[in-house]
Amino acid sequence: MGKIAVCPGTFDPITYGHLDIILRGAKVFDEIYVCVLNNASKQPLFSVEERMDLIREVTKDIHNVKVDSFQGLLVDYAKKVNANAIIRGLRAVSDFEYEMQITSMNKVLYDELDTLFMMTKGKYSFLSSSIVKEVAKYNGDISDLVPEPVEKALKQKFNN
Ligand code: ADP
């Protein structure tokens, strides 16, 4: 069986920062499941289906990427798809504490699962879905931040 990783997130919506991590992960693992976590405590702009459609569209040329969604514990999803690794991106030291908590808890819940962190490319270190939504809302230029289908979807949402 090949090396399988899960790349989990909210992806509301997917940005070039996420895509960079997915692309790099796809070179290291045989298969990557990009998984939209359906987190009830967040109020997303895009529905899970919309987020998955956008991810599918912008990753369609990466042959070993699968797009999925999940509600529940990430470790249960990892077991379901036989993944032995989680890939997460790190932008700044401020991401670190949160990631460390989640990673430690996942390790307690499922010891065979390891989390690998990839440092973002410098130019994406300030980039987040929230920032993109904020700029898009006021019709700012987001063409360097998200792929074209995402830009279009954001324009539609905000009626720009
Ligand atoms: P979550 O709510 O799980 O943090 P996000 O969609 O915000 O979901 O992020 C999913 C993953 O992508 C996380 O590991 C996050 O650190 C990473 N990520 C987000 N933006 C960037 C970026 N600009 N560069 C690198 N990684 C990023």
Side-chain angles (χ1 to χ4, degrees), residues 1 17 19 23 31 34 54-55 73 77 82 89 96 102 114 116 120-121 126 141 144-146:
M1 203 165 57
L19 198 53
L23 269 166
E31 213 160 7
V34 178
L54 286 173
I55 300 171
L73 288 176
Y77 180 77
N82 283 318
F96 188 79
I102 305 273
D114 270 305
L116 283 102
T120 184
K121 267 192 193 154
F126 65 95
D141 181 3
D144 287 341
L145 312 179
V146 294

Side-chain angles (χ1 to χ4, degrees), residues 7-13 15-18 20-21 37 39 42 87-91 95 98-99 118-121 124-129:
C7 187
T10 310
F11 302 105
D12 186 40
T15 69
Y16 277 134
H18 293 123
D20 178 51
I21 300 293
L37 290 182
N39 183 343
K42 292 202 177 180
I87 307 178
R88 296 282 291 173
L90 276 183
R91 282 162 293 188
D95 279 343
Y98 170 75
E99 294 295 338
M118 288 197 179
M119 284 271 298
T120 184
K121 267 192 193 154
Y124 300 139
S125 59
F126 65 95
L127 181 52
S128 67
S129 302

Side-chain angles (χ1 to χ4, degrees), residues 97-132:
E97 195 167 339
Y98 170 75
E99 294 295 338
M100 207 172 132
Q101 272 187 15
I102 305 273
T103 303
S104 310
M105 185 44 75
N106 284 340
K107 200 78 188 145
V108 169
L109 294 171
Y110 182 27
D111 190 40
E112 268 130 88
L113 188 67
D114 270 305
T115 304
L116 283 102
F117 292 97
M118 288 197 179
M119 284 271 298
T120 184
K121 267 192 193 154
K123 63 177 173 177
Y124 300 139
S125 59
F126 65 95
L127 181 52
S128 67
S129 302
S130 327
I131 286 265
V132 167

